Amino acid sequence: MILKEFSKYLQENKDKNSVNLLNEWIIERLMRPSLDKVDNILKAELYYAKNDSEKTLIIAKSESGRTLINALYNFALSFEQYKLAKFLHEKKSNDFNK
């Protein structure tokens, strides 16, 4: 359920780095009022902190929160690898000889 929502967000923003999008997506979901179960779960398991220079840190509240953030992070990395593989598959070997 959570991966499905995050996947939609990644697909809508294919041109950006997936790990950065993960941070943006979590903060966006934590800041807004809860609209669905995904928001409720994220708010129960994670919170974020922001310093004076506007840098953010996502923190897990429990072991299940750490598992959740690791799963989302690994999913973001796999999406980056998928984008690279797709890019390379569309290229010909001659494209790299320039």
Side-chain angles (χ1 to χ4, degrees):
M1 168 172 55
I2 296 171
L3 285 178
K4 183 178 178 182
E5 291 296 318
F6 180 52
S7 175
K8 287 179 191 175
Y9 188 77
L10 287 176
Q11 291 172 359
E12 292 168 359
N13 299 285
K14 288 181 187 176
D15 56 329
K16 297 180 182 176
N17 181 288
S18 301
V19 176
N20 291 340
L21 286 173
L22 172 62
N23 190 48
E24 291 174 17
W25 182 74
I26 290 174
I27 292 171
E28 179 183 306
R29 299 296 289 244
L30 291 175
M31 290 179 66
R32 73 180 192 190
S34 294
L35 301 176
D36 55 17
K37 290 181 182 181
V38 173
D39 290 339
N40 291 338
I41 293 169
L42 290 174
K43 288 181 181 188
E45 297 294 337
L46 306 172
Y47 61 89
Y48 76 99
K50 188 183 285 191
N51 66 9
D52 294 336
S53 59
E54 299 297 315
K55 304 244 180 196
T56 57
L57 175 67
I58 307 291
I59 303 166
K61 295 180 181 179
S62 64
E63 186 60 37
S64 59
R66 283 186 282 281
T67 302
L68 173 62
I69 199 71
N70 277 334
L72 289 169
Y73 178 72
N74 288 334
F75 187 78
L77 289 178
S78 70
F79 192 74
E80 273 305 304
Q81 291 171 349
Y82 164 76
K83 290 190 310 188
L84 178 61
K86 187 175 177 183
F87 169 78
L88 291 175
H89 184 71
E90 294 170 352
K91 297 294 178 188
K92 297 178 181 141
S93 61
N94 294 343
D95 293 340
F96 298 103
N97 292 334
K98 295 177 183 177

